[in-house]
Amino acid sequence: MEKKQEYEWGEGVFTLLSWFKKDKVKNARVLVAGAGALGNEVVKNLALFGVGHINVVDFDRIELSNLTRSVLFREEDAYSHAYKADIVAKRAMEINPQIRVTPIVGNLFSEVGFGLYRRADVVIGCLDSRIARYLLNRLSLRAGKSWIDGSIENMTGAVKVYTPGLSCYECGLSREEFNHIMLRTGCADVVRNQVEAGRVATTPISASIVGAMQVQEAMKIIHLEADGQVPFKTLQGKMLRYEGMTNTTSIYRFASWKNTCPAHELWDDVKECPELSARMTVGDVLQKLRELLGVEVVEINMRNNKFIDRVISDRPEKEFEVMIPESQLDAYIKEHKELRQLSYRTLIHKNFFENIDDRFPYQQLTLQQIGIPPFDVMEVSTDKGVQHVELTGDAGLYD
Ligand SMILES: [Zn+2]
């Protein structure tokens, strides 16, 4: 076929669908957390629909075992130990060159700027652990966004849609599940050896079905109008469960929304500051914040990360300078021969900073170096109360 100079993705195809709004889809922003089996399917489908801006987050590298259910990965990616997010982004743009897919190699909680959650029309969770779901739920609700959770095991799969005011992952956790998560995330000052997430037996079919349902729900949410004039029902506050062994599909209502839940903290007062960027030094940012907010006292409260200047082992008592964000500490210890060995047999204490003000001894480090990602929203305590300030100067990285 002759290549046309100009054509528009989906023109004359999706535009035949009565509900399809081309501009909405083209302008839509979707944040995809996880680039494994489900993430591959989800991003592929979003690309085929022509969703204009996709951010895909994953910290993992590709292994040979991923190839059986990851349509965007190739053998060469496993041999080169490429990052999942990088390859998903690259291949999705090969499928549809008219969209922009931006990879973020990092942790969805501490290494993704909150500005991306705020700008998203919908968040899609392609995750394999309770902790990751717990964290994604917190951030999505903080941004006032619905998030679509997919899970697969063997020949079954489930899709759940969490929506502010209606349903919340944390509200639905049992006491036992909650305690398990707290055990893994709660203790801030001691390094723990993280138990690797167990491999789940699954099939490429479960991933295709669940990934397809997730994107179908995302398309509905992108098309929702304030007046509710749409020809479809969403799964908001509900769960769809597919059982491949018996070919049954069931929908359950699981809405739970408890008024005392700490996850329902909505940041709707964010001040967007194009003057600020994660590439600026702590000292410059503190000064700029005083000017921008018209205050004397400023302190950045790091809610999702901490800065660690050194760690100290118990027995023998020995100090190591590290100078990294907490989110990178596990990887750092794994790479550091002596620390790795010590971490198996003794406690390692962290010396950390989570409230950053003029007394912070490393004013010349950039925000990113201390663990605040580009385009993030900082919680800033001032003499006029707490304010939420966005590093809007980084927005261009994700256009
Ligand atoms: Zn809740």
Side-chain angles (χ1 to χ4, degrees), residues 65-220:
S65 64
N66 304 138
L67 300 178
T68 57
R69 53 187 181 279
S70 307
V71 70
L72 302 175
F73 297 162
R74 306 285 175 265
E75 202 180 68
E76 70 203 47
D77 307 325
Y79 288 130
S80 64
H81 303 293
Y83 283 111
K84 292 179 178 177
D86 285 342
I87 297 297
V88 162
K90 180 177 154 216
R91 300 271 152 71
M93 286 190 288
E94 284 171 15
I95 292 175
N96 184 348
Q98 299 189 5
I99 60 170
R100 169 90 189 265
V101 189
T102 312
I104 300 161
V105 175
N107 175 300
L108 67 94
F109 189 61
S110 48
E111 290 166 338
V112 178
F114 188 64
L116 289 173
Y117 285 89
R118 292 184 66 228
R119 301 300 192 292
D121 291 280
V122 59
V123 176
I124 305 185
C126 303
L127 305 167
D128 60 2
S129 79
R130 266 190 216 130
I131 291 176
R133 288 187 174 92
Y134 163 86
L135 297 172
L136 188 65
N137 180 69
R138 286 226 158 179
L139 290 169
S140 300
L141 295 185
R142 198 183 279 175
K145 306 296 173 172
S146 288
W147 74 278
I148 304 171
D149 181 27
S151 55
I152 48 177
E153 188 171 354
N154 201 338
M155 284 171 77
T156 70
V159 178
K160 300 176 194 173
V161 184
Y162 296 95
T163 295
L166 198 61
S167 50
C168 160
Y169 179 78
E170 195 165 331
C171 285
L173 286 173
S174 68
R175 167 68 45 196
E176 192 191 334
E177 289 167 331
F178 185 79
N179 288 345
H180 179 79
I181 290 171
M182 284 303 106
L183 205 67
R184 294 278 302 276
T185 59
C187 192
D189 55 351
V190 178
V191 173
R192 282 170 189 277
N193 269 313
Q194 297 285 322
V195 183
E196 298 291 332
R199 285 236 173 92
V200 176
T202 187
T203 75
I205 305 299
S206 305
S208 304
I209 291 172
V210 170
M213 295 292 307
Q214 285 181 284
V215 172
Q216 183 154 281
E217 286 307 305
M219 292 301 286
K220 291 182 195 170

Side-chain angles (χ1 to χ4, degrees), residues 386-397:
V386 172
Q387 310 229 25
H388 296 119
V389 181
E390 185 182 77
L391 305 172
T392 315
D394 298 321
L397 296 172

